């Protein structure tokens, strides 16, 4: 579809973006924000060497219009009289040799798109997200190889790829959160053309793609942004490095332009904005609101989806800044504790109880302003008035798996039956579910932190990572610290690469995910966002229920994470079926095709029984009506077992 491209008039020129290098009729226009430099020299390195001093413009900009320069030309900038220092363009569209090499001119108009009828993410509440790291999703680690696997994700029931950051970073491998050339797709994954082809292919088979972006810091290696403009650097650092000072117009323009760029030139269907709590801004409107509005303007009539990560759980992002949703770590934390029993470190304030899981499904955040002992402070804000799909739930994501220290997947550290049960809770719940790559196949491949820098910086990364993990008592022991995977080792990275052969619908765990996502897609109540449509209640120390009401049919999900649950006294009205009906099993995590042992009907006239470590979905059935007529003798005449 045609995107609503805003053209920028800059000193008599019409540009696609207000900054960067762009091809124009007969040549190329270069413009860079470098308020720290009195003189900026453009150094063309290929196909032939030329040097041109850019003309200064108000506000710290420098620009030039050159003829006979085409796509593929390579260039860098020299600031003032630094003869030995050449720097990549801060708005480079491609760094074929990495951040320390020259920038390459790219013509986005050469892209061949076939998604003219694509309308984006029309209904966020019906999305199923899939977090993907391109470098480890396939052995090849490229966009082209990943694109070949997209039909599997579509057939599984995924609707939207959430691609981890792809901006250029230093080294051969990394998570992408230490980007330094934020407009340049990482050269190790392929070319900008390859990334466009990935998105176009996804759209062709009905998948949306959103991009994870990092606007709270730059990476520690290859970063020239502070050299061009010290104004980028805030006086207060984040835990990942120097933070960004958004008080300057040039800084705001840079990041808002970046958000627009990914939506416009690569047809991404939205953004996931990383660690928004570290994006501090005292101006109004907040820069996050400007980023969101800029991205939406770039999308034109296409509906895009913007989700934020925010550790303090501040719903201002949704209520005021225009975000569609926030990640809900509380659900993940409670579920992980329920599955593993591990509750040290930042899991301190979670018990994995039925009450926590029910509250997370009903109300979203578990902490909405009350005491959070781990931080010795209050945490969170109210979700009152927000739809459930204003939150994203998961059992695994890139942070939480890696923060186990050794990167164990839940499939490796939890009981298979219990994991199947909580997978049902995730995929049938009203929040937007997200899978982390490999989760759907039950992979045992670990996911750990990895990076690739020079020896000195590698050592700092090792120490920093080990220090962070020491908040977990078990990982603070000398033996655990000594055994932690080395983030700089190629072996650590290679262990994380997924095996495409595991993407087999004959595998029980894959069937489980596909069947649950089909249920979610075809059963209206599961994505119904109306208030009062869903309620839940604990039934015991390890069991709980979720009840949906819907004109197309009610549903009851019984979940038991412990030993077989039997109870004849049932003072919980959510268990009551619709009038003159009973409950019949519609689906069970204990079906043999998933590796289970079968499921007898849970309700009889004598009791409720839920198999150990199971989730059982029930639908109303008049033939299962339990009412006995004429009624038998009541307890006053024939005492029941106490």
């Amino acid at each position: 579809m045609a995107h609503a491209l805003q053209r920028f008039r800059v000193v008599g020129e019409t540009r696609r973006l207000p900054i960067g290098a762009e091809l124009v009729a007969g040549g190329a226009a270069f413009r860079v924000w470098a308020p720290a430099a009195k003189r900026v020299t453009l150094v063309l390195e290929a196909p032939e060497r030329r040097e041109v001093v850019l003309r200064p413009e108000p506000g710290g900009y420098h620009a030039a219009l050159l003829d006979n320069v085409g796509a593929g030309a390579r260039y860098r900038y020299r600031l003032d009289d630094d003869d030995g220092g050449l720097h990549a363009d801060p708005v480079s569209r491609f760094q074929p040799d990495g951040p320390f090499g020259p920038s390459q001119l790219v013509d986005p108009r050469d892209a061949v798109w076939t998604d003219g009828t694509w309308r984006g993410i029309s209904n966020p509440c019906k999305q199923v997200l899939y977090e993907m790291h391109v470098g480890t999703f396939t052995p090849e680690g490229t966009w082209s190889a990943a694109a070949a696997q997209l039909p599997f994700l579509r057939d599984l029931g995924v609707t939207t790829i959430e691609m981890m950051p792809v901006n250029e970073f230093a080294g051969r491998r990394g998570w992408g959160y230490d980007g330094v050339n934020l407009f340049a797709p990482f050269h190790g994954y392929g070319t900008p053309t390859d990334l466009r082809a990935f998105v176009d292919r996804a759209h062709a088979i009905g998948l949306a793609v959103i991009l994870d972006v990092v606007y709270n810091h730059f990476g520690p290696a290859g970063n020239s942004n502070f050299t061009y403009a010290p104004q980028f650097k805030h006086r207060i650092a984040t835990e990942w490095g120097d933070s960004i000072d958004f008080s300057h117009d040039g800084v705001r323009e840079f990041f808002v332009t970046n958000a627009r760029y990914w939506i416009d030139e690569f047809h991404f269907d939205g953004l996931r904005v990383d660690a928004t709590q570290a994006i501090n801004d005292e101006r109004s409107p907040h820069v996050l609101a400007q980023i969101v509005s800029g991205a939406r303007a770039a999308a034109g009539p296409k509906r895009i989806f913007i989700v934020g990560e925010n550790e303090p759980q501040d719903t201002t992002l949704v209520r005021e800044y225009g975000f569609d949703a926030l990640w809900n770590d509380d659900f993940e934390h409670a579920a992980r504790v329920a599955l593993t029993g591990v509750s040290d470190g930042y899991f301190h304030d979670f018990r994995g109880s039925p009450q926590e899981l029910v509250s997370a499904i009903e109300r979203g955040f578990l902490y909405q302003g009350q005491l959070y002992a781990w931080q010795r402070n209050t945490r969170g804000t109210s979700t009152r008035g927000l739809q459930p799909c204003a939150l994203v739930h998961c059992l695994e994501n890139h942070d939480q798996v890696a923060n186990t220290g050794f990167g164990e997947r839940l499939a490796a550290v939890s009981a298979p039956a219990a994991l199947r049960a909580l997978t049902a809770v995730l995929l049938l719940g009203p929040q937007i579910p997200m899978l982390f790559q490999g989760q759907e196949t039950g992979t045992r491949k670990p996911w750990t932190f990895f990076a690739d820098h020079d020896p000195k910086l590698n050592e700092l990364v090792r120490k920093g990572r080990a220090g962070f993990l020491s908040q977990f008592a078990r990982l603070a022991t000398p033996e655990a610290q000594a055994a932690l995977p080395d983030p700089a080792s190629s072996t650590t990275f290679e262990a994380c690469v997924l095996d495409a052969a595991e993407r087999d619908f004959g595998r029980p765990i894959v069937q489980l995910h596909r069947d649950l996502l089909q249920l979610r897609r075809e059963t209206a109540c599961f994505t119904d966002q109306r208030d009062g449509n869903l309620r839940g209640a604990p039934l015991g120390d390890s069991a709980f229920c979720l009840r949906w009401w819907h004109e197309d049919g009610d549903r009851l999900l019984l979940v038991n994470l412990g030993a077989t649950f039997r109870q004849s006294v049932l003072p919980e009205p959510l268990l009551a079926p619709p009038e003159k009906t009973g409950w019949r099993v519609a689906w069970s995590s204990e079906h043999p095709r998933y590796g289970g042992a079968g499921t007898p009907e849970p309700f009889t006239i004598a009791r409720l029984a839920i198999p150990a470590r199971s989730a059982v979905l029930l639908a109303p059935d008049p033939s299962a009506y339990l009412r006995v007529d004429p009624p038998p003798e009541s307890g006053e005449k024939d005492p029941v077992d106490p």
Side-chain angles (χ1 to χ4, degrees), residues 308-329:
E309 179 194 26
N310 187 271
E311 191 282 330
Q313 304 183 156
D314 186 354
T315 56
T316 300
L317 276 72
V318 175
R319 299 184 191 278
E320 298 182 19
Y321 297 167
F323 281 69
D324 293 293
L326 298 174
W327 275 20
N328 181 10
D329 281 342

Side-chain angles (χ1 to χ4, degrees), residues 75-282:
Y75 67 99
R76 281 185 277 193
Y77 292 116
R78 180 186 301 118
L79 305 183
D80 294 324
D81 297 321
D82 185 2
D83 292 334
L86 294 177
H87 303 280
D89 183 350
V91 189
S92 167
R93 283 177 166 89
F94 191 41
Q95 292 293 121
D97 300 320
F100 299 101
S103 304
Q104 179 174 309
L105 268 171
V106 172
D107 189 354
R109 299 170 299 182
D110 288 342
V112 178
W113 292 101
T114 65
D115 64 350
T117 61
W118 180 255
R119 291 294 178 263
I121 298 176
S122 59
N123 188 344
C125 299
K126 293 190 176 182
Q127 299 308 300
V128 177
L129 305 184
Y130 185 91
E131 190 178 25
M132 174 189 292
H133 178 264
V134 174
T136 55
F137 184 65
T138 65
E140 298 86 352
T142 64
W143 285 301
S144 296
Q149 300 292 317
L150 290 176
F152 167 80
L153 297 179
R154 174 203 58 196
D155 295 344
L156 184 74
V158 168
T159 66
T160 300
I161 307 298
E162 183 176 303
M163 187 180 290
M164 288 172 63
V166 300
N167 44 211
E168 187 66 44
F169 54 85
R172 295 161 292 180
R173 53 191 175 268
W175 280 13
Y177 293 90
D178 282 335
V180 291
N181 302 111
L182 300 195
F183 291 77
F186 179 58
H187 72 283
Y189 299 157
T191 66
T193 298
D194 294 333
L195 175 54
R196 291 188 178 94
F198 177 96
V199 176
D200 194 57
R201 174 60 177 156
H203 290 170
I205 65 172
L207 291 173
V209 189
I210 67 174
L211 179 65
D212 197 339
V213 293
V214 183
Y215 293 157
N216 52 68
H217 76 288
F218 293 112
N223 174 29
S224 294
N225 294 286
F226 295 154
T227 303
Y228 282 98
Q231 289 88 340
F232 272 112
K233 185 185 294 188
H234 198 280
R235 66 184 184 279
I236 301 174
T238 71
E239 59 185 287
W240 310 285
D242 293 308
S243 63
I244 308 300
D245 186 349
F246 289 100
S247 66
H248 305 281
D249 289 343
V251 175
R252 301 171 85 87
E253 175 187 66
F254 179 90
F255 287 97
V256 173
T257 299
N258 185 259
R260 297 180 59 94
Y261 161 79
W262 292 115
I263 302 298
D264 170 39
E265 294 194 10
F266 290 89
H267 293 199
F268 277 105
D269 299 292
L271 305 171
R272 181 262 187 188
V273 186
D274 178 68
T276 56
Q277 73 275 5
I279 298 176
N280 299 302
D281 184 24
E282 297 180 358

